[in-house]
Amino acid sequence: MENYRKKSPSRSESGRSKIAVKEQKTVKKCAVRIIPLGGLNEIGKNITLYECGNDIVIVDCGLAFPDSEMLGVDLVIPDFTYIERNADKIRGVVLTHGHEDHIGSLAYLLKKVNTPVYGTRLTLGLVQSKLEEHGVTAKLSVVKPKQRISLGCMEVEFINVNHSIPDSVALAIHTPTGVLIHTGDFKVDYTPINGDPIDLARFGELGSKGVLALLSESTNAERSGYTPTEHLVGESFEKLFAKAEDRRIIIATFSSNIHRVQQIINCAVKYKRKVAIFGRSMINVVKTATELGYLNVPDGVIIDIDMMDRFTAEEIVLITTGSQGEPMSALTRMAMNDHKKVNINCNDLIIISATPIPGNEKYVTKVVNELMKSGAEVIYEKMYDVHVSGHANQEELKLMLALTKPKFFIPIHGEFKHLMRHAKIAQEMGVDPNNALVAQIGNVIEINGDTMRVVSQAPAGRVLVDGLGVGDVGSIVLRDRKHLAQDGLIIVVIAIEKASHSLVSGPDLISRGFVYVRESEELMDEARHILADALKNCMPDEFREWSVLKMKMKDVLSDYIFTKTKRTPMILPIIMEI
Ligand SMILES: [Zn+2]
Ligand SMILES: [Zn+2]
């Protein structure tokens, strides 16, 4: 705070009258800006900027997975334009936990802006291996709950919370204007698998001193009651291990759910089974978590998948990725009979220990069907309590509001309906309706002590990553991909002689994804004739203007194809000059 006060007015202010300068300073001194660049009205790519004076702190830097419209896109990252423009103000990135939707785009950010990164030990352990994959280096500083770090005029305090990955924290951001609380993802678990229960006392303490604004996650804002403890899943696993008898057990879950993996390992030890791990991300996370001491695995319990043959079905548990039915995942390949090491049969008990993320239901259903066709027993969704959420339900969200008693409230981390529901909960809890804001990404939200309003708009949106290309797949490329995927392609090739501007060969037609050529010879032949006739009637001038010629070929062909088939394939004319 002291540092901040000493700062002189910027050069742009020096030309104005003294009164204006004074006013400007006063406004600046007591205003903090919050700029969500992702995570609102969407699932994923969470990133929020806190800006005060000349300092910006970035909270989280996540990715989102493409929806079915984004053909061929690998992942989606936030638009970093605002950060790049204000690179000199960035004091650091602070991470709440190690999930992809909070750390997944960090490597892409660090390629553009070099800034220190703060997070708990496990979070940074997971970040480290990601940065290595990308060949990016950064200064990583490990922090602990209750610790405070200074970033410009702000101090960031870390508060322990429970979530589906260990070492998750909420943040109290102490600014000259007041305290802002950013919950990150959280739930209340009084009996967590490892670590301490959420530090409710600290939230209460901050609340009694006065919290200016609360930014709280909204994932489960529509779900009533409390989220059950993770221990409940352990109890279900116990029952299912007992029921499995001489069968092989296969359990699919999120690779980052280390608590869940720990509980599977505990059961395996108890029932004298060996554990084999499948899926690249699962292997990576188990390795990092074991090295850092977040996963307690007795020697000899985990075996290499090549060793599985040495054990009988009743001596084995497989832990695998693919709980969302992801097409390339180990479980999906097992279900499709496409896995080199595992053949599903009637001697398998398969547990899908996760709930499908909205949009993934049909993939999961397909996997369940295929596994069942192979004769396996499949336990999924609510059949037993084989999954609990890592996010706070309504009563826990209310608890957070009751403890922190914020003046202003901004729901984050959710689709629009979740944010709206959470804003309503806040109002029921006594937050002034004018002080609860359902924001959009890119909104520059200014809080100056008494008021909160959106003052401007920063560039925000989605940047698509396809292979090594970042941002080069835009709406036009996607439109073409969709067109190709839905209607296929016809390539028309002609050759014209340079000197005489006359047609010397063609038109030849090549198609892909349009019709099966062998069964549609008549159609394609007629198309070729119609095109040839149209070209015969072309004036020599038209053979000079290639763009006109191409347009003509496209029009003639698409008219014919549409009349005959009611389809609109993409038509690509190619002219060769000889
Ligand atoms: Zn999370
Ligand atoms: Zn999240």
Side-chain angles (χ1 to χ4, degrees), residues 254-415:
F254 286 113
S255 58
S256 59
N257 200 332
I258 293 159
H259 301 133
R260 195 73 45 90
V261 174
Q262 180 71 64
Q263 300 204 90
I264 300 169
I265 289 172
N266 295 349
C267 282
V269 171
K270 185 171 172 188
Y271 287 87
K272 300 195 170 48
R273 287 177 183 251
K274 300 288 182 192
V275 177
I277 312 274
F278 287 79
R280 201 173 67 100
S281 60
M282 186 69 84
I283 293 168
N284 288 346
V285 170
V286 167
K287 184 168 169 275
T288 305
T290 310
E291 280 168 7
L292 295 177
Y294 288 88
L295 202 53
N296 180 10
V297 190
D299 286 343
V301 171
I302 292 184
I303 55 161
D304 196 273
I305 53 175
D306 292 324
M307 303 252 293
M308 283 194 313
D309 296 347
R310 301 186 194 175
F311 299 90
T312 59
E314 66 197 273
E315 294 172 326
I316 289 279
V317 186
L318 314 187
I319 306 179
T320 175
T321 53
S323 62
Q324 296 296 310
E326 305 92 320
M328 297 307 288
S329 66
L331 185 69
T332 306
R333 280 186 283 135
M334 291 174 198
M336 302 301 162
N337 253 327
D338 186 28
H339 198 281
K340 278 187 227 131
K341 307 277 176 188
V342 182
N343 278 318
I344 302 296
N345 58 57
C346 57
N347 208 27
D348 285 322
L349 174 66
I350 300 168
I351 303 167
I352 299 179
S353 177
T355 302
I357 294 167
N360 289 348
E361 294 91 346
K362 60 179 187 292
Y363 300 114
V364 177
T365 304
K366 191 173 173 199
V367 167
V368 169
N369 283 333
E370 292 303 318
L371 292 169
M372 284 181 172
K373 281 182 199 167
S374 302
E377 184 182 355
V378 187
I379 310 276
Y380 60 98
E381 282 188 59
K382 300 211 161 48
M383 295 168 73
Y384 283 78
D385 291 312
V386 290
H387 177 69
V388 296
S389 172
H391 298 276
N393 281 8
Q394 284 174 359
E395 295 309 307
E396 294 153 279
L397 296 175
K398 287 181 192 168
L399 181 61
M400 182 59 76
L401 280 154
L403 289 170
T404 56
K405 299 191 278 281
K407 180 166 184 181
F408 297 107
F409 178 70
I410 304 173
I412 55 171
H413 201 284
E415 291 176 34

Side-chain angles (χ1 to χ4, degrees), residues 5 41 63 84 145 173-174 180 196 223 239 245 255 270 276 280 331 336 339 356 370 382 437 475 487 524 570:
R5 282 194 172 143
N41 298 323
L63 60 72
E84 287 177 84
I173 303 169
H174 300 262
L180 314 173
D196 296 322
R223 292 196 202 170
K239 285 178 206 150
E245 294 177 339
S255 58
K270 185 171 172 188
R280 201 173 67 100
L331 185 69
M336 302 301 162
H339 198 281
E370 292 303 318
K382 300 211 161 48
L437 176 69
S475 54
D487 299 301
M524 296 307 269
M570 182 185 282

Side-chain angles (χ1 to χ4, degrees), residues 484 487-491 510-515 517:
L484 284 168
D487 299 301
L489 167 75
I490 299 180
I491 299 173
I510 304 159
S511 77
R512 287 289 181 274
F514 167 56
V515 288
V517 177

